[in-house]
Amino acid sequence: MGKVISVSNQKGGVGKTTTTVNVAAFIAGRGRRVLIIDIDPQANAGYGVGVKADEAGRTIYEVLVGTISIKEAVVTTSVPDLYLIPSNIHLAGAQMDLLDMEGKEYILREAIRDIKNNYDYIFIDCPPSLGILTLNSLAAADSVMIPLQCEYYALEGLNQLLRIIAMVQENLNRGLAIEGVVLTMYDSRTNLSQQVVSDVRDYFGDKVFKTIIPRNVRLSEAPSFGKPIGHYDRASIGSITYENLAEEVLKNG
Ligand code: ATP
Ligand code: MG
């Protein structure tokens, strides 16, 4: 039975997609079957794994509104053993469609049930909001991974996210665990980054991954080549650290 991990933070640009793509790709590199589900209307995850935005209408949008089955939406990527269910901009409208549906928080969970056995890991790349799409992902997940950017406002908005997670644990998904907090875009030259690391470790204790992802330009270049970092520049610090992070996720079981 595959483990479903939601990569969530309602803050924009904190490294959700970069973390999803690269952790998923390294785990696939270990011979596990891995699926990324992109539920962000910005549809960024596809770039990182060499999948162009789907024009054929086979995206997570059609799955959620029930016009295709989840199996029909799965595509292969530039990485062996790594699969993707793409998103596209139509998903922005789906949020309205979903609000009228019965059991609207469980639509993704129900869909994933049909394919959970086909993968070892399923990562869900969330949009930067706490709307119905993120709720669907938290309701469907076994655990949530929270990327936090090492910047001044890193902890701002975090209480809101933790409240939503607690609400989901109480009402929608008792089994939802916190996989861990990932510190991203760390800059060792600044005191600020170091301060954020120590604040976050004080707050979350052992729920913070040991691996810290530094700011590394190679990570931001890789998606324009349609490759995860391990295939784009294996020797870069971004690659080394994301591989270590993937190891930690594997160790968590
Ligand atoms: P959104 O909320 O819009 O979905 P996100 O949380 O998914 O954003 P990313 O898209 O992963 O964030 O990252 C935001 C930008 O920062 C991207 O341009 C990405 O390439 C870049 N980036 C992410 N992590 C790093 C890093 N460690 N070093 C340098 N650039 C990074
Ligand atoms: Mg993103």
Side-chain angles (χ1 to χ4, degrees):
M1 189 87 129
K3 181 171 185 179
V4 181
I5 301 179
S6 168
V7 184
S8 308
N9 187 334
Q10 80 276 22
K11 268 193 156 184
V14 297
K16 293 181 288 294
T17 302
T18 307
T19 298
T20 302
V21 162
N22 292 308
V23 170
F26 275 120
I27 291 179
R30 296 288 153 87
R32 309 297 209 285
R33 274 173 68 87
V34 184
L35 173 69
I36 295 172
I37 303 178
D38 187 357
I39 58 155
D40 182 355
Q42 298 179 98
N44 289 333
Y47 296 110
V49 292
V51 177
K52 299 234 164 61
D54 194 337
E55 312 277 296
R58 301 203 315 175
T59 71
I60 193 66
Y61 170 76
E62 285 74 24
V63 175
L64 293 175
V65 298
T67 53
I68 62 171
S69 77
I70 194 161
K71 282 187 184 141
E72 291 174 290
V74 176
V75 298
T76 55
T77 70
S78 63
V79 178
D81 292 318
L82 181 61
Y83 299 84
L84 173 76
I85 297 181
S87 171
N88 72 18
I89 189 66
H90 295 313
L91 192 56
Q95 303 187 55
M96 298 304 288
D97 299 337
L98 293 190
L99 288 177
D100 292 333
M101 289 165 91
E102 203 180 313
K104 57 180 182 280
E105 295 94 351
Y106 289 120
I107 295 162
L108 185 61
R109 184 188 179 100
E110 286 299 312
I112 287 177
R113 196 203 294 263
D114 292 339
I115 52 164
K116 232 182 150 175
N117 285 333
N118 302 353
Y119 300 94
D120 298 306
Y121 286 88
I122 299 174
F123 288 89
I124 308 172
D125 185 18
C126 288
S129 76
L130 290 175
I132 189 69
L133 293 168
T134 295
L135 269 186
N136 260 268
S137 99
L138 294 173
D142 295 302
S143 67
V144 54
M145 230 169 136
I146 307 170
L148 280 188
Q149 189 180 342
C150 297
E151 45 132 40
Y152 188 60
Y153 295 111
L155 292 164
E156 188 196 63
L158 200 58
N159 274 334
Q160 206 186 352
L161 176 60
L162 294 174
R163 264 207 308 278
I164 293 283
I165 290 171
M167 187 281 281
V168 169
Q169 287 167 329
E170 233 165 77
N171 300 304
L172 300 176
N173 179 8
R174 258 168 223 288
L176 181 68
I178 300 209
E179 188 72 34
V181 172
V182 189
L183 291 157
T184 66
M185 296 184 235
Y186 179 79
D187 183 347
S188 61
R189 292 166 306 179
T190 67
N191 290 333
L192 178 58
S193 265
Q194 293 165 26
Q195 189 60 49
V196 170
V197 171
S198 101
D199 287 353
V200 170
R201 290 218 161 114
D202 283 349
Y203 194 90
F204 285 100
D206 63 1
K207 280 290 166 201
V208 185
F209 285 102
K210 290 187 189 70
T211 306
I212 297 175
I213 308 299
R215 196 171 272 287
N216 177 219
V217 69
R218 305 302 266 169
L219 286 168
S220 54
E221 292 165 1
S224 57
F225 295 88
K227 290 176 177 176
I229 192 66
H231 293 245
Y232 174 62
D233 186 353
R234 181 105 212 193
S236 64
I237 186 70
S239 180
I240 291 162
T241 49
Y242 267 116
E243 186 166 22
N244 291 341
L245 181 62
E247 279 300 334
E248 286 193 61
V249 173
L250 279 170
K251 261 194 217 126
N252 283 350

PDB file of all heavy atoms in Angstrom, residues 69-96:
ATOM      1  N   SER A  69     -11.217   8.478 -15.156  1.00  0.00           N
ATOM      2  CA  SER A  69     -10.758   7.792 -13.938  1.00  0.00           C
ATOM      3  C   SER A  69      -9.341   8.246 -13.630  1.00  0.00           C
ATOM      4  O   SER A  69      -8.630   8.748 -14.506  1.00  0.00           O
ATOM      5  CB  SER A  69     -10.785   6.281 -14.159  1.00  0.00           C
ATOM      6  OG  SER A  69      -9.673   5.907 -14.947  1.00  0.00           O
ATOM      7  N   ILE A  70      -8.930   8.043 -12.402  1.00  0.00           N
ATOM      8  CA  ILE A  70      -7.594   8.517 -12.014  1.00  0.00           C
ATOM      9  C   ILE A  70      -6.504   7.787 -12.813  1.00  0.00           C
ATOM     10  O   ILE A  70      -5.491   8.372 -13.174  1.00  0.00           O
ATOM     11  CB  ILE A  70      -7.386   8.404 -10.478  1.00  0.00           C
ATOM     12  CG1 ILE A  70      -6.140   9.215 -10.056  1.00  0.00           C
ATOM     13  CG2 ILE A  70      -7.301   6.953 -10.016  1.00  0.00           C
ATOM     14  CD1 ILE A  70      -6.078   9.566  -8.583  1.00  0.00           C
ATOM     15  N   LYS A  71      -6.752   6.522 -13.120  1.00  0.00           N
ATOM     16  CA  LYS A  71      -5.749   5.762 -13.885  1.00  0.00           C
ATOM     17  C   LYS A  71      -5.513   6.377 -15.260  1.00  0.00           C
ATOM     18  O   LYS A  71      -4.397   6.346 -15.775  1.00  0.00           O
ATOM     19  CB  LYS A  71      -6.201   4.313 -14.053  1.00  0.00           C
ATOM     20  CG  LYS A  71      -5.987   3.487 -12.802  1.00  0.00           C
ATOM     21  CD  LYS A  71      -6.284   2.021 -13.036  1.00  0.00           C
ATOM     22  CE  LYS A  71      -6.135   1.275 -11.719  1.00  0.00           C
ATOM     23  NZ  LYS A  71      -7.144   0.247 -11.512  1.00  0.00           N
ATOM     24  N   GLU A  72      -6.567   6.918 -15.845  1.00  0.00           N
ATOM     25  CA  GLU A  72      -6.457   7.510 -17.184  1.00  0.00           C
ATOM     26  C   GLU A  72      -5.639   8.801 -17.188  1.00  0.00           C
ATOM     27  O   GLU A  72      -5.222   9.279 -18.244  1.00  0.00           O
ATOM     28  CB  GLU A  72      -7.854   7.819 -17.744  1.00  0.00           C
ATOM     29  CG  GLU A  72      -8.661   6.593 -18.086  1.00  0.00           C
ATOM     30  CD  GLU A  72     -10.084   6.969 -18.504  1.00  0.00           C
ATOM     31  OE1 GLU A  72     -10.869   7.401 -17.639  1.00  0.00           O
ATOM     32  OE2 GLU A  72     -10.392   6.825 -19.701  1.00  0.00           O
ATOM     33  N   ALA A  73      -5.435   9.380 -16.028  1.00  0.00           N
ATOM     34  CA  ALA A  73      -4.753  10.679 -15.960  1.00  0.00           C
ATOM     35  C   ALA A  73      -3.248  10.545 -15.731  1.00  0.00           C
ATOM     36  O   ALA A  73      -2.518  11.534 -15.806  1.00  0.00           O
ATOM     37  CB  ALA A  73      -5.378  11.520 -14.853  1.00  0.00           C
ATOM     38  N   VAL A  74      -2.776   9.326 -15.478  1.00  0.00           N
ATOM     39  CA  VAL A  74      -1.361   9.138 -15.154  1.00  0.00           C
ATOM     40  C   VAL A  74      -0.505   9.175 -16.422  1.00  0.00           C
ATOM     41  O   VAL A  74      -0.820   8.509 -17.399  1.00  0.00           O
ATOM     42  CB  VAL A  74      -1.147   7.789 -14.425  1.00  0.00           C
ATOM     43  CG1 VAL A  74       0.337   7.545 -14.167  1.00  0.00           C
ATOM     44  CG2 VAL A  74      -1.939   7.749 -13.115  1.00  0.00           C
ATOM     45  N   VAL A  75       0.564   9.974 -16.403  1.00  0.00           N
ATOM     46  CA  VAL A  75       1.498  10.003 -17.536  1.00  0.00           C
ATOM     47  C   VAL A  75       2.910   9.639 -17.050  1.00  0.00           C
ATOM     48  O   VAL A  75       3.224   9.773 -15.868  1.00  0.00           O
ATOM     49  CB  VAL A  75       1.533  11.391 -18.230  1.00  0.00           C
ATOM     50  CG1 VAL A  75       0.178  11.747 -18.815  1.00  0.00           C
ATOM     51  CG2 VAL A  75       2.015  12.485 -17.279  1.00  0.00           C
ATOM     52  N   THR A  76       3.746   9.195 -17.992  1.00  0.00           N
ATOM     53  CA  THR A  76       5.138   8.919 -17.640  1.00  0.00           C
ATOM     54  C   THR A  76       5.924  10.237 -17.642  1.00  0.00           C
ATOM     55  O   THR A  76       5.453  11.248 -18.177  1.00  0.00           O
ATOM     56  CB  THR A  76       5.794   7.943 -18.638  1.00  0.00           C
ATOM     57  OG1 THR A  76       5.643   8.492 -19.946  1.00  0.00           O
ATOM     58  CG2 THR A  76       5.145   6.573 -18.606  1.00  0.00           C
ATOM     59  N   THR A  77       7.106  10.223 -17.044  1.00  0.00           N
ATOM     60  CA  THR A  77       7.929  11.441 -16.963  1.00  0.00           C
ATOM     61  C   THR A  77       9.315  11.171 -17.534  1.00  0.00           C
ATOM     62  O   THR A  77       9.588  10.068 -18.013  1.00  0.00           O
ATOM     63  CB  THR A  77       8.102  11.880 -15.483  1.00  0.00           C
ATOM     64  OG1 THR A  77       8.951  10.927 -14.822  1.00  0.00           O
ATOM     65  CG2 THR A  77       6.764  11.951 -14.763  1.00  0.00           C
ATOM     66  N   SER A  78      10.200  12.144 -17.418  1.00  0.00           N
ATOM     67  CA  SER A  78      11.581  11.964 -17.890  1.00  0.00           C
ATOM     68  C   SER A  78      12.378  11.037 -16.965  1.00  0.00           C
ATOM     69  O   SER A  78      13.522  10.708 -17.258  1.00  0.00           O
ATOM     70  CB  SER A  78      12.285  13.327 -17.988  1.00  0.00           C
ATOM     71  OG  SER A  78      12.378  13.934 -16.710  1.00  0.00           O
ATOM     72  N   VAL A  79      11.769  10.608 -15.859  1.00  0.00           N
ATOM     73  CA  VAL A  79      12.463   9.770 -14.873  1.00  0.00           C
ATOM     74  C   VAL A  79      11.805   8.389 -14.817  1.00  0.00           C
ATOM     75  O   VAL A  79      10.585   8.306 -14.644  1.00  0.00           O
ATOM     76  CB  VAL A  79      12.380  10.420 -13.471  1.00  0.00           C
ATOM     77  CG1 VAL A  79      13.050   9.560 -12.423  1.00  0.00           C
ATOM     78  CG2 VAL A  79      12.964  11.822 -13.501  1.00  0.00           C
ATOM     79  N   PRO A  80      12.588   7.306 -14.955  1.00  0.00           N
ATOM     80  CA  PRO A  80      12.007   5.968 -14.832  1.00  0.00           C
ATOM     81  C   PRO A  80      11.356   5.783 -13.455  1.00  0.00           C
ATOM     82  O   PRO A  80      11.854   6.310 -12.458  1.00  0.00           O
ATOM     83  CB  PRO A  80      13.211   5.026 -14.978  1.00  0.00           C
ATOM     84  CG  PRO A  80      14.272   5.837 -15.636  1.00  0.00           C
ATOM     85  CD  PRO A  80      14.035   7.261 -15.244  1.00  0.00           C
ATOM     86  N   ASP A  81      10.257   5.074 -13.419  1.00  0.00           N
ATOM     87  CA  ASP A  81       9.543   4.774 -12.174  1.00  0.00           C
ATOM     88  C   ASP A  81       8.866   5.980 -11.529  1.00  0.00           C
ATOM     89  O   ASP A  81       8.329   5.883 -10.427  1.00  0.00           O
ATOM     90  CB  ASP A  81      10.450   4.107 -11.117  1.00  0.00           C
ATOM     91  CG  ASP A  81      10.868   2.708 -11.538  1.00  0.00           C
ATOM     92  OD1 ASP A  81      10.014   1.981 -12.063  1.00  0.00           O
ATOM     93  OD2 ASP A  81      12.055   2.371 -11.369  1.00  0.00           O
ATOM     94  N   LEU A  82       8.939   7.136 -12.199  1.00  0.00           N
ATOM     95  CA  LEU A  82       8.248   8.324 -11.681  1.00  0.00           C
ATOM     96  C   LEU A  82       7.109   8.708 -12.627  1.00  0.00           C
ATOM     97  O   LEU A  82       7.323   8.869 -13.825  1.00  0.00           O
ATOM     98  CB  LEU A  82       9.218   9.502 -11.544  1.00  0.00           C
ATOM     99  CG  LEU A  82       8.618  10.806 -10.986  1.00  0.00           C
ATOM    100  CD1 LEU A  82       8.054  10.612  -9.585  1.00  0.00           C
ATOM    101  CD2 LEU A  82       9.664  11.922 -10.979  1.00  0.00           C
ATOM    102  N   TYR A  83       5.917   8.823 -12.082  1.00  0.00           N
ATOM    103  CA  TYR A  83       4.721   9.115 -12.866  1.00  0.00           C
ATOM    104  C   TYR A  83       4.106  10.415 -12.364  1.00  0.00           C
ATOM    105  O   TYR A  83       4.391  10.862 -11.249  1.00  0.00           O
ATOM    106  CB  TYR A  83       3.718   7.960 -12.742  1.00  0.00           C
ATOM    107  CG  TYR A  83       4.302   6.669 -13.257  1.00  0.00           C
ATOM    108  CD1 TYR A  83       5.107   5.867 -12.436  1.00  0.00           C
ATOM    109  CD2 TYR A  83       4.113   6.270 -14.574  1.00  0.00           C
ATOM    110  CE1 TYR A  83       5.691   4.709 -12.908  1.00  0.00           C
ATOM    111  CE2 TYR A  83       4.685   5.107 -15.061  1.00  0.00           C
ATOM    112  CZ  TYR A  83       5.474   4.330 -14.224  1.00  0.00           C
ATOM    113  OH  TYR A  83       6.053   3.188 -14.702  1.00  0.00           O
ATOM    114  N   LEU A  84       3.268  11.000 -13.213  1.00  0.00           N
ATOM    115  CA  LEU A  84       2.664  12.294 -12.867  1.00  0.00           C
ATOM    116  C   LEU A  84       1.197  12.314 -13.266  1.00  0.00           C
ATOM    117  O   LEU A  84       0.826  11.810 -14.331  1.00  0.00           O
ATOM    118  CB  LEU A  84       3.389  13.426 -13.614  1.00  0.00           C
ATOM    119  CG  LEU A  84       2.767  14.826 -13.495  1.00  0.00           C
ATOM    120  CD1 LEU A  84       3.062  15.448 -12.126  1.00  0.00           C
ATOM    121  CD2 LEU A  84       3.274  15.757 -14.603  1.00  0.00           C
ATOM    122  N   ILE A  85       0.380  12.871 -12.402  1.00  0.00           N
ATOM    123  CA  ILE A  85      -0.952  13.303 -12.830  1.00  0.00           C
ATOM    124  C   ILE A  85      -0.884  14.819 -12.927  1.00  0.00           C
ATOM    125  O   ILE A  85      -0.733  15.509 -11.917  1.00  0.00           O
ATOM    126  CB  ILE A  85      -2.047  12.860 -11.844  1.00  0.00           C
ATOM    127  CG1 ILE A  85      -2.106  11.332 -11.796  1.00  0.00           C
ATOM    128  CG2 ILE A  85      -3.401  13.441 -12.284  1.00  0.00           C
ATOM    129  CD1 ILE A  85      -3.177  10.784 -10.879  1.00  0.00           C
ATOM    130  N   PRO A  86      -0.917  15.344 -14.166  1.00  0.00           N
ATOM    131  CA  PRO A  86      -0.714  16.777 -14.345  1.00  0.00           C
ATOM    132  C   PRO A  86      -1.936  17.589 -13.907  1.00  0.00           C
ATOM    133  O   PRO A  86      -3.028  17.058 -13.753  1.00  0.00           O
ATOM    134  CB  PRO A  86      -0.497  16.938 -15.855  1.00  0.00           C
ATOM    135  CG  PRO A  86      -0.674  15.610 -16.475  1.00  0.00           C
ATOM    136  CD  PRO A  86      -1.133  14.643 -15.437  1.00  0.00           C
ATOM    137  N   SER A  87      -1.671  18.864 -13.758  1.00  0.00           N
ATOM    138  CA  SER A  87      -2.728  19.827 -13.493  1.00  0.00           C
ATOM    139  C   SER A  87      -2.806  20.750 -14.696  1.00  0.00           C
ATOM    140  O   SER A  87      -1.976  20.664 -15.605  1.00  0.00           O
ATOM    141  CB  SER A  87      -2.354  20.621 -12.250  1.00  0.00           C
ATOM    142  OG  SER A  87      -3.236  21.703 -12.082  1.00  0.00           O
ATOM    143  N   ASN A  88      -3.798  21.599 -14.732  1.00  0.00           N
ATOM    144  CA  ASN A  88      -3.714  22.758 -15.618  1.00  0.00           C
ATOM    145  C   ASN A  88      -4.594  23.857 -15.048  1.00  0.00           C
ATOM    146  O   ASN A  88      -5.218  23.688 -14.004  1.00  0.00           O
ATOM    147  CB  ASN A  88      -4.020  22.413 -17.081  1.00  0.00           C
ATOM    148  CG  ASN A  88      -5.479  22.122 -17.349  1.00  0.00           C
ATOM    149  OD1 ASN A  88      -6.344  22.481 -16.548  1.00  0.00           O
ATOM    150  ND2 ASN A  88      -5.746  21.486 -18.462  1.00  0.00           N
ATOM    151  N   ILE A  89      -4.629  24.960 -15.733  1.00  0.00           N
ATOM    152  CA  ILE A  89      -5.262  26.158 -15.192  1.00  0.00           C
ATOM    153  C   ILE A  89      -6.770  25.965 -14.951  1.00  0.00           C
ATOM    154  O   ILE A  89      -7.357  26.632 -14.106  1.00  0.00           O
ATOM    155  CB  ILE A  89      -4.968  27.376 -16.116  1.00  0.00           C
ATOM    156  CG1 ILE A  89      -5.417  28.686 -15.468  1.00  0.00           C
ATOM    157  CG2 ILE A  89      -5.578  27.197 -17.484  1.00  0.00           C
ATOM    158  CD1 ILE A  89      -4.637  29.053 -14.226  1.00  0.00           C
ATOM    159  N   HIS A  90      -7.375  24.978 -15.659  1.00  0.00           N
ATOM    160  CA  HIS A  90      -8.812  24.730 -15.436  1.00  0.00           C
ATOM    161  C   HIS A  90      -9.116  24.386 -13.989  1.00  0.00           C
ATOM    162  O   HIS A  90     -10.243  24.513 -13.529  1.00  0.00           O
ATOM    163  CB  HIS A  90      -9.315  23.573 -16.305  1.00  0.00           C
ATOM    164  CG  HIS A  90      -9.250  23.870 -17.763  1.00  0.00           C
ATOM    165  ND1 HIS A  90      -9.709  25.038 -18.298  1.00  0.00           N
ATOM    166  CD2 HIS A  90      -8.777  23.139 -18.808  1.00  0.00           C
ATOM    167  CE1 HIS A  90      -9.516  25.041 -19.596  1.00  0.00           C
ATOM    168  NE2 HIS A  90      -8.930  23.894 -19.932  1.00  0.00           N
ATOM    169  N   LEU A  91      -8.110  23.888 -13.299  1.00  0.00           N
ATOM    170  CA  LEU A  91      -8.309  23.485 -11.916  1.00  0.00           C
ATOM    171  C   LEU A  91      -8.732  24.680 -11.046  1.00  0.00           C
ATOM    172  O   LEU A  91      -9.412  24.497 -10.031  1.00  0.00           O
ATOM    173  CB  LEU A  91      -7.017  22.865 -11.381  1.00  0.00           C
ATOM    174  CG  LEU A  91      -7.094  22.142 -10.052  1.00  0.00           C
ATOM    175  CD1 LEU A  91      -8.133  21.043 -10.073  1.00  0.00           C
ATOM    176  CD2 LEU A  91      -5.731  21.554  -9.709  1.00  0.00           C
ATOM    177  N   ALA A  92      -8.351  25.868 -11.452  1.00  0.00           N
ATOM    178  CA  ALA A  92      -8.764  27.052 -10.693  1.00  0.00           C
ATOM    179  C   ALA A  92     -10.288  27.106 -10.638  1.00  0.00           C
ATOM    180  O   ALA A  92     -10.888  27.388  -9.593  1.00  0.00           O
ATOM    181  CB  ALA A  92      -8.198  28.312 -11.328  1.00  0.00           C
ATOM    182  N   GLY A  93     -10.940  26.779 -11.758  1.00  0.00           N
ATOM    183  CA  GLY A  93     -12.404  26.759 -11.808  1.00  0.00           C
ATOM    184  C   GLY A  93     -13.003  25.580 -11.064  1.00  0.00           C
ATOM    185  O   GLY A  93     -14.099  25.666 -10.522  1.00  0.00           O
ATOM    186  N   ALA A  94     -12.266  24.481 -11.016  1.00  0.00           N
ATOM    187  CA  ALA A  94     -12.776  23.262 -10.370  1.00  0.00           C
ATOM    188  C   ALA A  94     -13.086  23.505  -8.907  1.00  0.00           C
ATOM    189  O   ALA A  94     -13.948  22.863  -8.327  1.00  0.00           O
ATOM    190  CB  ALA A  94     -11.761  22.134 -10.481  1.00  0.00           C
ATOM    191  N   GLN A  95     -12.380  24.443  -8.313  1.00  0.00           N
ATOM    192  CA  GLN A  95     -12.620  24.714  -6.901  1.00  0.00           C
ATOM    193  C   GLN A  95     -14.088  25.061  -6.692  1.00  0.00           C
ATOM    194  O   GLN A  95     -14.700  24.640  -5.722  1.00  0.00           O
ATOM    195  CB  GLN A  95     -11.732  25.859  -6.429  1.00  0.00           C
ATOM    196  CG  GLN A  95     -10.278  25.544  -6.669  1.00  0.00           C
ATOM    197  CD  GLN A  95      -9.342  26.569  -6.077  1.00  0.00           C
ATOM    198  OE1 GLN A  95      -9.399  26.863  -4.898  1.00  0.00           O
ATOM    199  NE2 GLN A  95      -8.485  27.107  -6.899  1.00  0.00           N
ATOM    200  N   MET A  96     -14.670  25.801  -7.634  1.00  0.00           N
ATOM    201  CA  MET A  96     -16.092  26.149  -7.531  1.00  0.00           C
ATOM    202  C   MET A  96     -16.951  24.911  -7.757  1.00  0.00           C
ATOM    203  O   MET A  96     -17.917  24.675  -7.040  1.00  0.00           O
ATOM    204  CB  MET A  96     -16.451  27.224  -8.568  1.00  0.00           C
ATOM    205  CG  MET A  96     -15.709  28.512  -8.379  1.00  0.00           C
ATOM    206  SD  MET A  96     -15.923  29.203  -6.719  1.00  0.00           S
ATOM    207  CE  MET A  96     -17.621  29.757  -6.818  1.00  0.00           C
TER     208      MET A  96
END
